[in-house]
Structures are given as C-alpha cells and as structure tokens.
Amino acid sequence: QLSVLHKFKGILFSNMSSEELLNSLDSFDAREDDVFLVSYPKSGTHWIAEIIESIPNARITLTSSIELGDISKLEELKMYSQRRVIPTHLCYDLLPANIKQKQCKIIYIIRNPKDTAVSLFHYYRDNPNLPYIETWSAFFELFLRGEVVYGSWFDHVLSWEEHRNDKNILIIFYEEMKKDFPKSLKKITTFLEINVNDSEINKIARKTSFSEMKNNSVKENFDPNHTVCALTSDRNLVFRKGVVGDWINYFTSKQKRVFDELFTEKMKHSQLARFLEEIS
Ligand code: A3P
C-alpha cells in the first residue's frame, strides 16, 4: 500500500518526487528575487498561489513545485525569465541551501492541524498518487505519528517556526485569510513590495474565492503550469469544502483529547500555536 510513497531522509515523499531530484536539490540555483511558497500539504497552497498570480503588475511566473518530477526539474526552472514564485512542501531543513544563503523571500502558510488532517485524509482517498487509507481512524493514527507524506505536521511547523522572525519570511494563516482577507492580502503585497488599491483588492478577493476557484478548476485542469502541489496535477482534487472547523465532523471526543494532548506537548513553546489557538 505504501508503494506510491518512498522515504527520503526519514520523511515520506510521493513517487512523483524522484529520489534523484531530492538528492540534487542542493544544487538548485536560487535567484535573489525568487519567492518561495511553502506549506505543509492541504494548508491553502493553491489559494495563496492564485492570490499571488492575481496581483496586477506582479510580473511573476508561478512554477510547479520544486520537488515535483525528476532531475530535469532544475534545468526547467532555469528557463523562466520573469520573477519566479516556486511552491514547495519541504520542511526548513530540506530546503535547498542556496535559498537560505540568498535570503529569498518565503511565504509560509499554516492551517489548523485538525482541519489539515481531515483535508489530507480526503486527499489520500481521492488522489491516486497517495495510498488509499480505508478509515478516518486509521489515517488519524498515521497523521499523529507523522507517517504521512511530508512527515509530521508538528515537526514541519516547528522547523519553520524557528525562522519566523527572519525578515525574508512571512507567515500567513489560512484561518486569518478566511476571517480578514484584505488584511492577509495586504501583508502579502507589502511583503512582495507591490502596491494594490482597494478596487484591486476586491477584484482579487472575488477571483480567489473558494467557489470561483472550484468552478475554474474544471477548465484549468491538467494544465501543468497549474501544478502547485507536488502531489497532483488534477485540480479537481483540491477544492473540497474550503471551510474552517470541518474537523468537528470527523474527530471523536477521544481523538480530540489525544490530539490536543500531543499538540500541547509538541507545541508548548510555539508562538505560532498560540496564534492558531486564538484564531481557530
Ligand atoms: P479542504 O479539503 O478542507 O476543503 P492545498 O492547496 O494546500 O492543497 O490545500 C487545499 C485545501 O485548501 C482544501 O481544503 C481546499 O478546499 C482549500 N482551499 C482551496 N482554495 C481555497 C479558497 N479559495 N478558499 C478557501 N479554501 C480553499
């Protein structure tokens, strides 16, 4: 059942990320104006990608994920002449060294881990590039142990948390985007040093609403330029519910207790966790 996944440096990856590519990521040639869009899977990566693409005069090109494909990927990324926005689900430690040295801009998006787990459960079931897990309770156990693609949510977030005050890193919360879209959008555009006016903000909000993106996914499907997540090029698999708090429909009270205990333990020194608790 795990045949669609493989382990690299102790972390599970889909077979769509070749070991050879993962091994050579450190020879990736970062450019100073590159922007990296980083997330644990199912945290709202496609949403942020669409937002950035919708900013007028951004003059950027959204590429596919840096860890998707084989070794030819590194050559392919050289062909873009515009400023590149490059998505990835890598944890901080696996991020190519060059990106850190050049202090490229990085946007890290975080989502409440319970909703992330439920979203990833559905992705596992619907996405042929991931193992099929029969029940929510079986998936829940795997998620808790970090035996899922890209490893433990906790370790991923904590790896990025250490760098939350670096001036080249912006952290955005899914829940805050839902609650106050203009505020999150302004954070993004300020960070990217692009001006947007109020009417442009409204336009972007409409264009990147869940319903709009879900409707468009049909016609944009299988366009490799829109492969934001290294786990699929099928956008139909991405837009499920797009809400905050769907976990309540899946977690039993015992699962909630077990999860909260682990969260408290793992995230006891985490500022990001405090913010997540406030906003969720
Ligand atoms: P759900 O499965 O809870 O619906 P990613 O892009 O990182 O793969 O994350 C996918 C999750 O983000 C899915 O969550 C998806 O529905 C949600 N999503 C995608 N676009 C969205 C949007 N425009 N607004 C709100 N949620 C969105």
Side-chain angles (χ1 to χ4, degrees):
Q1 220 204 32
L2 291 176
S3 62
V4 294
L5 301 179
H6 66 105
K7 260 196 181 164
F8 179 77
K9 298 197 174 160
I11 293 174
L12 286 170
F13 282 86
S14 117
N15 286 347
M16 290 164 80
S17 297
S18 82
E19 189 175 341
E20 206 188 4
L21 174 61
L22 295 173
N23 256 317
S24 55
L25 281 180
D26 264 336
S27 61
F28 167 71
D29 231 342
R31 300 180 191 159
E32 254 141 48
D33 68 347
D34 281 337
V35 178
F36 290 84
L37 179 53
V38 188
S39 57
Y40 188 83
K42 312 322 289 171
S43 302
T45 329
H46 289 81
W47 190 10
I48 294 237
E50 187 81 14
I51 291 168
I52 296 176
E53 275 199 301
S54 307
I55 301 172
N57 306 318
R59 285 189 286 272
I60 53 97
T61 305
L62 179 68
T63 75
S64 62
S65 165
I66 193 171
E67 74 273 20
L68 169 69
D70 60 23
I71 193 94
S72 66
K73 185 57 178 247
L74 298 181
E75 286 305 312
E76 179 201 313
L77 285 174
K78 287 183 187 159
M79 297 188 329
Y80 295 96
S81 52
Q82 286 204 112
R83 185 181 198 183
R84 303 178 294 189
V85 175
I86 307 176
T88 178
H89 290 314
L90 294 172
C91 62
Y92 187 85
D93 303 338
L94 292 184
L95 197 76
N98 222 286
I99 300 171
K100 298 169 190 170
Q101 279 150 13
K102 296 211 167 145
Q103 298 187 309
C104 300
K105 287 194 171 165
I106 294 171
I107 300 175
Y108 185 67
I109 175 159
I110 305 189
R111 185 182 193 186
N112 171 326
K114 293 196 187 93
D115 284 338
T116 305
V118 167
S119 182
L120 190 57
F121 169 60
H122 288 95
Y123 211 35
Y124 260 65
R125 291 176 66 90
D126 300 338
N127 186 342
N129 302 311
L130 292 172
Y132 183 83
I133 307 288
E134 194 80 34
T135 62
W136 158 248
S137 71
F139 182 82
F140 175 78
E141 294 300 327
L142 293 175
F143 189 87
L144 276 192
R145 292 205 305 272
E147 285 295 322
V148 289
V149 70
Y150 294 101
S152 151
W153 178 91
F154 301 97
D155 295 344
H156 201 281
V157 170
L158 290 172
S159 80
W160 284 97
E161 163 121 36
E162 275 188 54
H163 301 275
R164 72 177 193 284
N165 293 323
D166 295 5
K167 65 175 188 338
N168 59 318
I169 298 185
L170 173 71
I171 296 184
I172 293 284
F173 292 83
Y174 180 95
E175 290 76 15
E176 192 172 60
M177 297 222 298
K178 290 289 288 189
K179 201 182 225 166
D180 191 342
F181 183 81
K183 186 176 169 191
S184 295
L185 177 57
K186 279 201 187 116
K187 280 188 189 169
I188 295 169
T189 54
T190 304
F191 180 70
L192 296 178
E193 296 165 90
I194 304 168
N195 287 321
V196 285
N197 61 38
D198 287 348
S199 96
E200 287 165 339
I201 290 176
N202 290 335
K203 223 168 150 183
I204 297 169
R206 279 197 305 275
K207 189 165 181 276
T208 64
S209 70
F210 178 77
S211 55
E212 189 71 15
M213 286 184 67
K214 191 179 170 77
N215 289 339
N216 286 338
S217 68
V218 180
K219 66 169 192 278
E220 283 169 353
N221 210 17
F222 295 111
D223 175 352
N225 294 325
H226 279 90
T227 303
V228 173
C229 172
L231 301 172
T232 188
S233 56
D234 183 354
R235 281 174 76 91
N236 287 324
L237 302 177
V238 174
F239 306 97
R240 191 185 60 95
K241 265 192 174 176
V243 299
V244 175
D246 191 39
W247 65 268
I248 208 117
N249 300 313
Y250 293 84
F251 280 62
T252 63
S253 54
K254 175 154 185 249
Q255 285 171 339
K256 178 184 184 299
R257 201 171 61 243
V258 170
F259 194 96
D260 288 346
E261 270 168 23
L262 184 67
F263 186 92
T264 305
E265 167 59 25
K266 283 271 208 180
M267 308 303 281
K268 58 177 177 259
H269 302 303
S270 166
Q271 289 299 315
L272 300 178
R274 299 295 84 75
F275 190 76
L276 268 181
E277 284 167 334
E278 254 170 57
I279 196 147
S280 299

